[in-house]
Amino acid sequence: MQPMHPGTPYQAPPFGQQPNTAGGNPVGAVLLGFLVSVVVSVIYTGVIFATYKDQSETMVHTLYIGHALLNGVAVGALAGLVGGRSDGARIGAAVIAPLGAFFGYTNAVPLVIADSQTPSVVWDMLENEPFFPAKAWWGSASDTTWISLLGLVVAAAAAWGLAYVAGNRGRRA
């Protein structure tokens, strides 16, 4: 008769942080997405500032939606490429892109006011009503609140969608 040797005991998975099986670097994706969003927003603010005298209300809304889409595409593509299949990178992109669309518009408002009136008016405005740029973004006299919200949705959807597509492309296990 042979002696019985116990088999190897079951080893439970370790506690704590699990290895990243999604591939990529979600933190780097979010940081690079933020930087790209800032650059796209600054360019949009400059375009608005340079052309505000010649724009109709329709053109303002079209540029805003286009900026939201461009911001979402840029942030989403970068988040997908750098973050891989990480849900954190996708969520980060879907949060950062709408913020970039919002701040691109609101940063243009004080510049336009300063150019059309005087720079001291901007200081007075920010002292008395610091949220005036956000109120201007939210809607104008023609009740365009839905366009403001549409821009946020477009930016978030484009960022999430492109991060998903770019993150899953070529990384199948």
Side-chain angles (χ1 to χ4, degrees):
M1 186 162 163
Q2 294 180 339
M4 285 193 140
H5 296 289
T8 57
Y10 172 75
Q11 185 171 359
F15 289 110
Q17 187 173 2
Q18 299 297 316
N20 183 6
T21 59
N25 184 350
V27 174
V30 170
L31 290 176
L32 285 174
F34 173 75
L35 291 175
V36 166
S37 181
V38 167
V39 169
V40 171
S41 295
V42 167
I43 291 170
Y44 170 75
T45 299
V47 167
I48 293 297
F49 178 66
T51 62
Y52 77 92
K53 292 178 184 174
D54 301 325
Q55 291 180 3
S56 66
E57 190 170 352
T58 304
M59 181 55 85
V60 169
H61 299 317
T62 304
L63 283 174
Y64 170 69
I65 297 297
H67 165 245
L69 180 63
L70 179 64
N71 208 319
V73 165
V75 171
L78 193 63
L81 291 173
V82 175
R85 294 184 313 225
S86 167
D87 285 336
R90 294 174 189 161
I91 292 169
V95 169
I96 289 171
L99 287 173
F102 171 77
F103 284 112
Y105 186 93
T106 57
N107 288 339
V109 171
L111 292 175
V112 168
I113 291 172
D115 188 52
S116 65
Q117 296 177 15
T118 62
S120 64
V121 172
V122 173
W123 183 256
D124 293 338
M125 175 200 64
L126 292 176
E127 255 184 6
N128 296 326
E129 195 170 356
F131 295 108
F132 177 77
K135 289 178 183 177
W137 167 83
W138 184 245
S140 66
S142 64
D143 193 30
T144 56
T145 303
W146 68 274
I147 293 176
S148 301
L149 296 175
L150 178 65
L152 298 182
V153 170
V154 164
W160 177 273
L162 245 61
Y164 182 83
V165 169
N168 286 338
R169 182 177 228 189
R171 297 183 189 258
R172 300 184 200 267

